[in-house]
Amino acid sequence: MKIDLTDTTSSKINKSLVLGRRAIGTPAVGMVLTLVIVTDEENAYDALKAANEASREHPSRKLVVIKRVSRSPRDRAKARLDAEVRVGADAGTGETVILRLRGEVIDHAQSVVLPLLLPDAPVVVWWPVNAPTDPAADPLGALAQRRVTDTYNAEHPIRELADRAEAYTPGDTDLAWTRITPWRSMLAAALDQVACQVISAEVEGEEFNPSVELLAMWLAGRLGVTVRRTASIGPGLTAVRLETDCGPIVLDRPDGSLATLCVQGQPDRAVALKRRETAELIAEELRRLDPDDTYAAALRYGVERLVEGGPASDAGGSGAGAGSGADSGAGSRADSGAPDPGAADSGAADSGAPDSGDAGTGAADSAADGGSGAGAAPAAKSGGKKAPAKKAAAK
């Protein structure tokens, strides 16, 4: 059942919801939460479709807030609210209200949404696109116990991760983090089966994919090892390689569907690791409404790593980060004898240096762009010290 309301108010929308429930013979409200979807007209259909599928597991009242663009000064000065109320089969499991805001009311969307929230039920706000930098400070985000964003759809995903870390508030989460839940579970299970010490790790996936970055941050933070980030053509995450003192552990998924788990001394195993749809991701996030401390720890670890050696084309301000980590990065490479990952960018003659796209994901590679210059200075210095020894020999 659909009810269209033009130039309406929140009070009239509430009355329409009651009339709609009575008309279909279900006067009781059997919903467990309110899901507020803040989007634009272009992405509203896909977001609502995903929410309707997720409502089979979590019956909810879905409020879709669409902020329309006013084309003339007259329209911008006039506040107008249009609504479409859906109940029954047209709304999935629960109720749906599509709110189209025009004019001055766009800046006061929380005053429209607040009377429509289910009483004594948690509130989740989801931004499929164009999420605010600080979701908790947003007027709509302030109404929610859980705030869901998706940095995968951002213009600069890696930079967005750094901004999210600075503004993180308990209750914030990201669908880019939700996408790697099966990977984290599989890797944790693989490490539980062996009594080995992890030495280093490598995460391979699409360039500028925040899920790849988050997985690398999580591994580096939890294992305390160097994690390298390698670019591939995708789709999404393609492989994780853990170097241990017992041999390598590799989880490889080249096609985005079926993965192969290889553990030293064990037969290779095929595991289902299909890329999930948005509806499955939202359903997973709605299962828990408490703060995700693991996500917060990974996000905060990644900020330091990105500043020192993130992808220069996307992280922003990479020059300052490379300078701050040049001394430590050069020292660690000098001690370990590892090749300089910055040589590929600086035009060094050593053609055997690793790909510059791998630089900057681990703590030891944090000075990828400035490391080659910093490493050259000690070499020149040591060369100067040898000169007096040659003079003495000549005498």
Side-chain angles (χ1 to χ4, degrees), residues 171-196:
D172 293 352
T173 189
D174 198 308
L175 293 187
W177 172 256
T178 314
R179 289 184 179 94
I180 64 174
T181 300
W183 286 83
R184 293 190 293 123
S185 301
M186 194 65 63
L187 292 171
L191 289 174
D192 285 342
Q193 298 174 11
V194 295
C196 301

Side-chain angles (χ1 to χ4, degrees), residues 226-229 305 308-310 325 329 332-333 338-341 358-369:
T226 300
V227 180
R228 305 185 66 185
R229 201 277 197 197
R305 185 183 61 79
E308 294 180 359
S332 62
R333 282 192 294 273
D340 183 4
D358 297 344
T361 54
D365 296 329
S366 61
D369 294 334

Side-chain angles (χ1 to χ4, degrees), residues 2 27 50 55 85 182 220 231 271 275 278 280 282 294 323 340 351 375 379:
K2 295 182 182 181
S55 70
V85 178
V271 293
R275 302 187 73 194
T278 306
E280 298 176 72
I282 286 294
T294 307
D340 183 4
S351 61

Side-chain angles (χ1 to χ4, degrees), residues 57 357 390:
E57 185 176 341
K390 290 181 180 179

Side-chain angles (χ1 to χ4, degrees), residues 158 162 166 301-311 315-325 360 366-367 369:
I158 311 305
E166 292 180 1
Y301 178 91
V303 171
E304 300 173 1
R305 185 183 61 79
L306 288 173
V307 168
E308 294 180 359
S318 57
S324 64
S366 61
D369 294 334

